[in-house]
């Protein structure tokens, strides 16, 4: 098992321990919402941190294109979202599905009629911005 797979598995188990479940239906009038649930230094990888967030994206919303200075892993809790990665085919993910975004890869999430609630794990060098917007 690779270091990244082990990290993701550990984070997934941590999320279950925190019982990060959806609290109810999405509010159609809401703006995208990012809640940082945890930020922690990785004990065995100096200078590396993990950020665990719950992202709520309303229906018919496209997040600004951006990239991360590390890797991003996501688990769809509710609804569905299409992942657009620069230079790749757009793919739609639903509840219970997992996706990943490579280091510094420009991407966005796009929702349809139902919106989405997504549990997001980011692993990157400590002190770097969580995301960098692209025009």
């Amino acid at each position: 098992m690779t270091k990244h797979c082990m990290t993701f598995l550990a984070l997934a188990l941590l999320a279950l321990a925190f019982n990060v479940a959806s609290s109810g239906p999405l509010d159609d009038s809401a703006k995208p919402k990012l809640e940082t649930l945890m930020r922690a230094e990785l004990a065995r990888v100096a200078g590396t941190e993990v950020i665990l967030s719950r992202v709520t994206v309303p229906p018919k919303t496209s997040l600004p294109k951006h990239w991360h200075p590390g890797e991003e892993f996501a688990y769809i809790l509710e609804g569905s979202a299409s992942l657009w990665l620069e230079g790749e085919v757009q793919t739609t993910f639903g509840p219970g599905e997992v996706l990943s975004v490579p280091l510094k890869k420009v991407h966005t999430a796009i929702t349809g009629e139902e919106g989405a609630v997504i549990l997001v794990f980011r692993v990157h060098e400590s002190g770097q911005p969580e995301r960098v917007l692209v025009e």
Side-chain angles (χ1 to χ4, degrees):
M1 184 177 289
T2 68
K3 181 173 106 176
H4 294 298
C5 288
M6 289 172 43
T7 300
F8 181 71
L9 179 59
L11 292 172
L13 292 172
L14 180 62
L16 290 172
F18 276 92
N19 193 19
V20 184
S22 176
S23 61
L26 294 169
D27 177 2
D28 290 3
S29 65
K31 293 180 182 178
K33 181 179 179 183
L34 172 75
E35 301 170 73
T36 299
L37 303 173
M38 182 188 80
R39 179 184 300 262
E41 187 85 13
L42 285 177
R44 302 184 104 196
V45 186
T48 303
E49 70 179 346
V50 174
I51 302 167
L52 173 61
S53 303
R54 177 187 165 125
V55 180
T56 303
V57 187
K60 299 182 181 179
T61 299
S62 180
L63 299 177
K65 289 180 182 173
H66 62 283
W67 56 270
H68 302 281
E71 294 181 74
E72 180 176 56
F73 306 93
Y75 178 80
I76 309 296
L77 293 169
E78 179 180 313
S80 66
S82 293
L83 174 65
W84 176 88
L85 290 166
E86 188 172 56
E88 297 186 28
V89 175
Q90 185 170 309
T91 305
T92 301
F93 296 88
E97 292 188 286
V98 178
L99 58 114
S100 65
V101 178
L103 169 74
K104 296 186 179 180
K105 182 77 167 185
V106 175
H107 65 285
T108 187
I110 304 159
T111 58
E113 296 292 327
E114 59 188 347
V117 179
I118 308 165
L119 184 62
V120 177
F121 304 93
R122 282 183 232 88
V123 181
H124 63 86
E125 184 180 340
S126 299
Q128 295 294 313
E130 287 187 40
R131 73 195 54 75
V132 178
L133 296 178
V134 176
E135 293 182 25

